[in-house]
Amino acid sequence: MNGRAGPFTLKVKGLWYYPPNSAVPTLTMVGSPNFGYRSVDKDLESQMTILTSDPGLQEQLHVEQDRLFRDSNQLQAEEFEKPERKVPQWVKLVVGIARQYF
């Protein structure tokens, strides 16, 4: 999901589990669900799962999820075909070299 905050585009990702026939989630994951090379081998990132039966917390999780989805739109594959989204070759070269050191 993508959202906007002024001139910035924000990437939103998350997981909320809604049991069958439930209007509120019972489970969510908080933190950084990144499992790419840098996240796994270079960065210190964490993730936590919250499982709750507390109706107040379930409602808060639902409100948060609803707000994030309401204020964002689903990212389409065509977005990555836009010229402004293309990564220049020189950036790919520098990243390839820098990856060895960071």
Side-chain angles (χ1 to χ4, degrees), residues 53-71:
S53 59
D54 178 88
L57 181 54
Q58 289 175 337
E59 181 62 26
Q60 288 177 347
L61 294 173
H62 173 70
V63 168
E64 175 189 35
Q65 183 269 332
D66 185 58
R67 180 185 59 80
L68 290 170
F69 277 53
R70 185 181 61 244
D71 295 339

Side-chain angles (χ1 to χ4, degrees), residues 14-77:
L15 182 131
W16 296 264
Y17 173 70
Y18 286 73
N21 303 315
S22 177
V24 293
T26 58
L27 180 142
T28 189
M29 299 181 89
V30 178
S32 179
N34 293 322
F35 299 108
Y37 165 77
R38 196 188 84 223
S39 299
V40 172
D41 293 335
K42 302 292 185 183
D43 294 345
L44 178 60
E45 298 190 18
S46 64
Q47 185 169 339
M48 179 174 69
T49 301
I50 298 173
L51 176 63
T52 184
S53 59
D54 178 88
L57 181 54
Q58 289 175 337
E59 181 62 26
Q60 288 177 347
L61 294 173
H62 173 70
V63 168
E64 175 189 35
Q65 183 269 332
D66 185 58
R67 180 185 59 80
L68 290 170
F69 277 53
R70 185 181 61 244
D71 295 339
S72 62
N73 59 342
Q74 188 170 359
L75 187 62
Q76 302 297 321

